[in-house]
Amino acid sequence: MFTNPQPDTPDNKWRHQLDRFIKSHHLELAALSWALWQENGNSQGTIGIDLEPTPHFVYCPDTAIEQFNDRVENRLQELLGLIKHYKPEIEVLMVGIGKDQVKLIYFEPKPEPPVCFQQLGKDVDTLLEELEVKLLATGINNDKS
């Protein structure tokens, strides 16, 4: 009845793996998102998960996203709109970066990000370290084919 509109090619495999990771760790990602927002606001840009050479968290400055949007003929307009209207107290907004492509990571967790952060009771550095270790363990982006 339902079909997958995008075949599981190497170009798309990382996207599916990242989707599974986000689903499994959405509360930790919400806590991290809130903690980083409390630390930096939007002064550093949007949080990204860069999968190369190994998975790690980065900031994507707004100017870099805007320049990339220009290079891809304005196909990132929706992403730019979400960034502009981002509500960190109820949403998680990140950008997955892999194989010269980007993937929007957006969800509204329950409970909200501030509650996730409070319930986990971990500082930013601990959350970053633990999530990066878990990202590495998933094997995302190990397939270079």
Side-chain angles (χ1 to χ4, degrees):
M1 179 175 203
F2 294 102
T3 60
N4 184 358
Q6 297 178 339
D8 200 12
T9 64
D11 282 346
N12 287 324
K13 185 176 180 183
W14 70 272
R15 294 171 182 272
H16 298 298
Q17 291 172 316
L18 188 56
D19 283 341
R20 285 192 299 272
F21 178 81
I22 292 161
K23 186 175 182 180
S24 297
H25 302 287
H26 68 280
L27 296 178
E28 294 150 290
L29 290 165
L32 176 64
S33 177
W34 180 252
L36 288 170
W37 180 264
Q38 292 299 296
E39 230 177 56
N40 300 309
N42 65 353
S43 67
Q44 303 290 316
T46 302
I47 302 166
I49 301 174
D50 188 355
L51 300 177
E52 294 182 2
T54 58
H56 60 285
F57 288 89
V58 297
Y59 275 109
C60 303
D62 292 345
T63 55
I65 295 172
E66 290 166 4
Q67 289 170 354
F68 187 58
N69 183 52
D70 290 341
R71 288 196 314 264
V72 296
E73 300 173 357
N74 295 321
R75 288 187 225 144
L76 301 179
Q77 287 301 106
E78 289 175 1
L79 174 60
L80 292 173
L82 285 169
I83 290 169
K84 182 177 180 180
H85 299 287
Y86 176 50
K87 297 178 187 108
E89 64 281 353
I90 61 170
E91 304 169 326
V92 173
L93 175 66
M94 299 180 181
V95 178
I97 307 161
K99 300 188 188 291
D100 298 322
Q101 299 177 2
V102 295
K103 174 183 177 33
L104 172 64
I105 300 167
Y106 174 84
F107 58 96
E108 293 183 17
K110 295 293 178 210
E112 290 81 12
V115 177
C116 292
F117 179 68
Q118 182 182 17
Q119 287 178 348
L120 285 178
K122 297 177 181 178
D123 63 41
V124 176
D125 293 332
T126 301
L127 286 167
L128 280 168
E129 184 179 314
E130 288 179 358
L131 283 166
E132 284 182 351
V133 166
K134 290 175 182 179
L135 271 166
L136 284 168
T138 66
I140 296 175
N141 216 33
N142 281 349
D143 182 13
K144 301 293 185 189
S145 59

